[in-house]
C-alpha cells in the first residue's frame, strides 16, 4: 500500500509558509517593535502580565545570586534559560516601545526595577535604562515629580526671623563702619611706603 505523495508536499509547504511568516513578522517588529505587544502571539504567550513575571533563573543551590548574568548571548551561543528579553527575539528595546518600558518601571515611585527583581541580564538592563531616559526626554514617558504639600508658612523675608540689613553710618559723621577699626593705629612706615607706591594716583 503506497501513501499519497501530496501529503508530504503539503506539510513541507506549510512549514515553508510558517517560516516565511515568522521572518516577515520579525522584520516588521524590528521597524515597529511596539506592534508585537499588541499582537495575538504576545497575548497568547504572556497575557496581561509583564514579560518578566514568573521568570526564574537557573542557578546552583537554593539561594539565587545577587546579580544577574552579564549577557545571555555570547557570539552564537545562548545560555540556558536566558533572561525575559533575550529569550524572545520579538521583544526589542526601543524608546518608543512604551508598553514594554512601563513593565520595568514602578508605577508608584517611577524607579526602574532592579535586575534582581526582573531577572534581566546586565546588558539588557543597560539598554532598558538608556531607553527609559530617552523616552522621558522625548515625552513618551512621564517624569515622576514628588508632591510636596506646603503648610501655608510664610517664606517671605518680612517676618522677625529674617532681619533687614542695617543702614550704613553716615560718611560725614566720621564714624567708621566697625567701631574697632577706629582704635587701630597704623604703622607710619607702612603708610609712607604705600603713599610712595601709589603717589601717581593720590592726587
Amino acid at each position: 500500500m503506497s501513501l499519497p505523495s501530496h501529503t508530504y508536499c503539503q506539510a513541507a509547504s506549510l512549514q515553508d509558509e510558517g517560516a516565511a511568516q515568522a521572518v516577515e513578522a520579525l522584520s516588521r517588529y524590528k521597524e515597529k517593535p511596539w506592534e508585537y505587544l499588541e499582537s495575538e502571539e504576545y497575548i497568547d504567550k504572556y497575557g496581561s502580565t509583564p514579560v518578566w513575571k514568573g521568570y526564574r533563573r537557573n542557578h546552583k543551590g537554593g539561594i539565587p545570586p545577587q546579580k544577574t548574568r552579564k549577557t545571555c548571548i555570547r557570539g552564537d551561543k545562548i545560555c540556558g534559560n536566558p533572561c525575559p528579553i533575550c529569550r524572545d527575539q520579538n521583544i526589542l528595546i526601543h524608546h518608543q516601545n512604551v508598553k514594554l518600558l512601563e513593565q520595568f518601571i514602578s508605577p508608584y515611585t517611577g524607579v526602574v526595577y532592579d535586575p534582581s527583581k526582573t531577572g534581566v541580564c546586565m546588558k539588557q538592563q543597560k539598554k532598558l535604562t538608556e531607553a527609559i531616559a530617552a523616552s522621558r526626554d522625548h515625552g513618551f514617558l512621564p517624569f515622576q515629580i514628588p508632591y510636596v504639600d506646603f503648610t501655608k508658612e510664610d517664606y517671605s523675608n518680612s517676618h522677625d526671623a529674617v532681619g533687614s540689613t542695617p543702614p550704613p553710618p553716615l560718611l560725614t559723621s566720621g564714624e567708621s563702619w566697625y567701631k574697632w577699626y577706629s582704635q587701630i593705629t597704623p604703622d607710619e612706615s607702612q603708610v609712607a611706603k604705600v603713599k610712595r607706591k601709589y603717589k601717581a594716583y593720590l592726587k
Side-chain angles (χ1 to χ4, degrees), residues 191-203:
V191 173
K193 184 177 180 181
V194 172
K195 286 183 178 181
R196 287 195 305 268
K197 187 175 182 179
Y198 298 99
K199 63 181 181 179
Y201 304 96
L202 298 176
K203 292 181 179 180

Side-chain angles (χ1 to χ4, degrees), residues 71-90:
T71 180
C72 301
I73 303 174
R74 296 181 179 178
D76 298 335
K77 295 182 179 179
I78 302 176
C79 66
N81 192 18
C83 74
I85 295 180
C86 293
R87 67 183 176 182
D88 194 342
Q89 61 180 354
N90 293 328

Side-chain angles (χ1 to χ4, degrees), residues 11-49:
S13 63
L14 289 175
Q15 290 179 359
D16 295 340
E17 184 180 354
Q21 290 179 357
V23 171
E24 182 183 357
L26 183 59
S27 62
R28 184 176 72 253
Y29 295 147
K30 281 186 177 180
E31 296 178 358
K32 299 179 180 180
W34 49 88
E35 290 185 355
Y36 174 62
L37 277 76
E38 300 175 355
S39 63
E40 296 181 358
E41 180 183 358
Y42 175 85
I43 297 174
D44 294 339
K45 193 171 184 179
Y46 301 102
S48 59
T49 59

